[in-house]
Amino acid sequence: MLQNVRLITFDIVGTILRFREPPVAKYVEIASEHGIKTDFTLLQKSFYRNWKLMDEKHPHFGSTTKISSMNWWITLVQETFKDVLQEKYNEKEIRLLANKLYGYYHSPKPYIVLEDSIKALNQLKSDHKYIEIGAISNFDNRLHDVVPSLGLKQYFDFIVTSEDAKSSKPEAAIFDYAAARCTKSGQLLASEILHVGDDMDKDYFGARNVGWHGLLVDRHGGG
């Protein structure tokens, strides 16, 4: 499969690493530390609803509407709690909580590196030194700090986030942006690039729709 491949890109969250626990569970935990009682199910529904609204209003973590990704996340957390707490909502208190959550997900603490991904990356680096390796992630620019903090920097020649590309998978623009970041291999044909990820639509079909090879990692037991 790698015979004519000169660039391999990997999805990050879900493919190379995963969250230790669902983010909303951490929201509930940190809220509890601040004396705020919330229901996981209600908060999760509010999170997804407000995520969709934020993504529609400020796509790709605000990169196209010129708000910072930090403000994007602070606003999302505030609106998520506001919907659930209603009259008990305290803006100052929730803003402090939101800043704490933002910092937490900027650290290595929330993530677990998946062993099989490290094995695959080591094998690529050892057996296919001519292949450039990149990352394409629907994440904000904290990822540029998270990856080194997890000891993964040496595996990647470049990292592209949604915030960098002002685009998110499965859109063609983020794949094109990543291909342009490949500097060691020069001009590449689409047929010389392979993208690896765990999401059928965003990763596999996103790659295939721009003419790249796609490899789906089954992390969800779908066969």
Side-chain angles (χ1 to χ4, degrees), residues 41-79:
T41 301
L42 291 177
L43 201 67
Q44 187 175 50
K45 288 179 179 177
S46 179
F47 175 82
Y48 288 130
R49 182 170 59 251
N50 282 287
W51 171 284
K52 184 177 180 181
L53 291 172
M54 283 295 292
D55 194 47
E56 289 173 352
K57 189 175 181 180
H58 301 289
H60 320 304
F61 304 103
S63 60
T64 61
T65 55
K66 297 183 179 180
I67 70 165
S68 71
S69 55
M70 181 176 183
N71 283 338
W72 194 99
W73 277 106
I74 297 299
T75 301
L76 173 60
V77 173
Q78 287 178 311
E79 294 301 315

Side-chain angles (χ1 to χ4, degrees), residues 89-124:
Y89 176 79
N90 181 308
E91 184 173 353
K92 183 178 179 180
E93 193 171 47
I94 297 301
R95 187 170 182 86
L96 287 172
L97 186 154
N99 275 284
K100 187 173 183 178
L101 284 166
Y102 183 85
Y104 177 73
Y105 285 99
H106 199 164
S107 77
K109 295 178 184 178
Y111 313 101
I112 295 174
V113 178
L114 299 166
E115 289 184 14
D116 59 352
S117 67
I118 294 300
K119 182 179 179 180
L121 289 167
N122 278 324
Q123 189 170 350
L124 274 175

Side-chain angles (χ1 to χ4, degrees), residues 80-200:
T80 295
F81 278 95
K82 185 183 291 185
D83 283 355
V84 173
L85 297 175
Q86 298 183 10
E87 70 276 0
K88 294 181 180 179
Y89 176 79
N90 181 308
E91 184 173 353
K92 183 178 179 180
E93 193 171 47
I94 297 301
R95 187 170 182 86
L96 287 172
L97 186 154
N99 275 284
K100 187 173 183 178
L101 284 166
Y102 183 85
Y104 177 73
Y105 285 99
H106 199 164
S107 77
K109 295 178 184 178
Y111 313 101
I112 295 174
V113 178
L114 299 166
E115 289 184 14
D116 59 352
S117 67
I118 294 300
K119 182 179 179 180
L121 289 167
N122 278 324
Q123 189 170 350
L124 274 175
K125 285 290 188 182
S126 173
D127 299 346
H128 303 280
K129 292 181 171 63
Y130 63 93
I131 295 178
E132 194 162 357
I133 301 175
I136 305 176
S137 179
N138 287 358
F139 210 94
D140 62 77
N141 279 351
R142 284 177 295 181
L143 193 65
H144 292 292
D145 296 325
V146 169
V147 167
S149 74
L150 291 167
L152 299 173
K153 184 178 180 181
Q154 72 270 24
Y155 294 112
F156 298 101
D157 296 296
F158 63 87
I159 295 169
V160 170
T161 68
S162 294
E163 190 174 357
D164 291 324
K166 298 180 174 59
S167 174
S168 298
K169 297 174 296 182
E171 297 171 358
I174 192 168
F175 291 98
D176 292 341
Y177 186 95
R181 290 290 307 276
C182 184
T183 56
K184 292 182 180 178
S185 302
Q187 190 82 21
L188 291 175
L189 299 174
S191 60
E192 296 175 314
I193 309 174
L194 168 67
H195 178 68
V196 182
D198 70 314
D199 189 287
M200 178 71 81

